Amino acid sequence: DSGVTQTPKHLITATGQRVTLRCSPRSGDLSVYWYQQSLDQGLQFLIQYYNGEERAKGNILERFSAQQFPDLHSELNLSSLELGDSALYFCASSASSPGQNYGYTFGSGTRLTVV
Amino acid sequence: ILNVEQSPQSLHVQEGDSTNFTCSFPSSNFYALHWYRWETAKSPEALFVMTLNGDEKKKGRISATLNTKEGYSYLYIKGSQPEDSATYLCASSGYALNFGKGTSLLVTP
């Protein structure tokens, strides 16, 4: 157990639907990052939150949004789902910014399948 | 977003062989270089974080070097074991970690 908890582990849903992925960071970590891994792609950065505020955005679609709550857990909302959104979604946490020598602790991921 | 490249894409070695793979990254605006080990059905685990040119880190049979001026890092595994089979990811640090696609290592007995 890495200390980062992601739920659910698996999710199957239909096109056009909306889902919410949840992440609880490791105790003491203030930063939460969301990544997407699609078939034959590396880990693609989506968005980062630090202590409740959005810190950086990557290749996140407008149909996707996220937030970090006062208790530091984060949710990634995916709407108007398309077949191409099927992927493994990882949450990671760190004490601060990775540029300050802190590595990430990853959750076990949520496998999303859109049918 | 910085472009991180890893080679080879995959590697198959025999138990006991030593091996190495390469990570290249843009050397401008460099902050840190991270290596992760990702076993199938598990989540990536941090191996090393390196920041200084010439840095060399070691953990058991695995070591890594860093050249920030030319923008590359090598990961070495000495005497590979089947349990070393995994995908090895490197990532360059900006506002978030930018990952390469990884090198998939298979070690057979």
Side-chain angles (χ1 to χ4, degrees):
Chain A
D1 181 9
S2 67
V4 177
T5 303
Q6 283 190 253
T7 56
K9 291 192 183 303
H10 302 277
L11 198 49
I12 301 175
T13 190
T15 54
Q17 295 298 304
R18 172 189 169 95
V19 297
T20 297
L21 312 183
R22 183 188 167 100
C23 169
S24 294
R26 191 179 60 163
S27 178
D29 285 354
L30 299 178
S31 279
V32 170
Y33 307 82
W34 287 97
Y35 281 80
Q36 177 195 58
Q37 194 210 18
S38 304
L39 197 62
D40 296 331
Q41 296 294 316
L43 287 166
Q44 300 292 312
F45 170 65
L46 295 177
I47 197 163
Q48 177 203 358
Y49 280 83
Y50 177 80
N51 202 22
E53 295 187 0
E54 182 185 302
R55 176 65 66 90
K57 265 187 176 181
N59 298 321
I60 188 166
L61 299 172
E62 286 191 11
R63 299 183 286 109
F64 296 0
S65 64
Q67 53 185 330
Q68 186 180 27
F69 294 87
D71 67 352
L72 300 178
H73 92 270
S74 178
E75 293 181 355
L76 179 67
N77 301 296
L78 314 177
S79 61
S80 302
L81 285 167
E82 302 175 359
L83 295 177
D85 297 328
S86 296
L88 187 56
Y89 291 84
F90 278 106
C91 167
S93 71
S94 71
S96 183
S97 163
Q100 298 174 12
N101 303 344
Y102 291 101
Y104 287 178
T105 301
F106 279 88
S108 56
T110 293
R111 170 75 64 185
L112 173 66
T113 302
V114 182
V115 297
Chain B
I1 296 179
L2 305 175
N3 199 27
V4 177
E5 303 287 343
Q6 291 188 249
S7 62
Q9 185 177 354
S10 63
L11 199 51
H12 181 188
V13 302
Q14 296 296 312
E15 182 176 358
D17 289 348
S18 293
T19 187
N20 66 86
F21 3 105
T22 304
C23 172
S24 63
F25 55 89
S27 53
S28 59
N29 298 319
F30 174 81
Y31 290 103
L33 193 285
H34 298 236
W35 280 100
Y36 286 79
R37 182 171 179 273
W38 190 2
E39 290 182 73
T40 303
K42 294 186 177 180
S43 49
E45 292 183 352
L47 285 173
F48 306 114
V49 180
M50 295 186 289
T51 57
L52 299 175
N53 186 44
D55 248 357
E56 188 167 336
K57 299 260 176 129
K58 188 174 181 181
K59 184 182 289 188
R61 293 177 292 97
I62 303 177
S63 61
T65 60
L66 179 67
N67 182 322
T68 61
K69 293 183 179 180
E70 297 182 37
Y72 64 83
S73 175
Y74 293 135
L75 188 79
Y76 300 92
I77 302 179
K78 185 177 179 182
S80 302
Q81 300 295 310
E83 57 265 31
D84 295 329
S85 298
T87 296
Y88 292 83
L89 299 170
C90 73
S92 182
S93 180
Y95 49 78
L97 289 181
N98 183 34
F99 286 87
K101 292 187 177 182
T103 292
S104 177
L105 174 66
L106 176 63
V107 183
T108 50

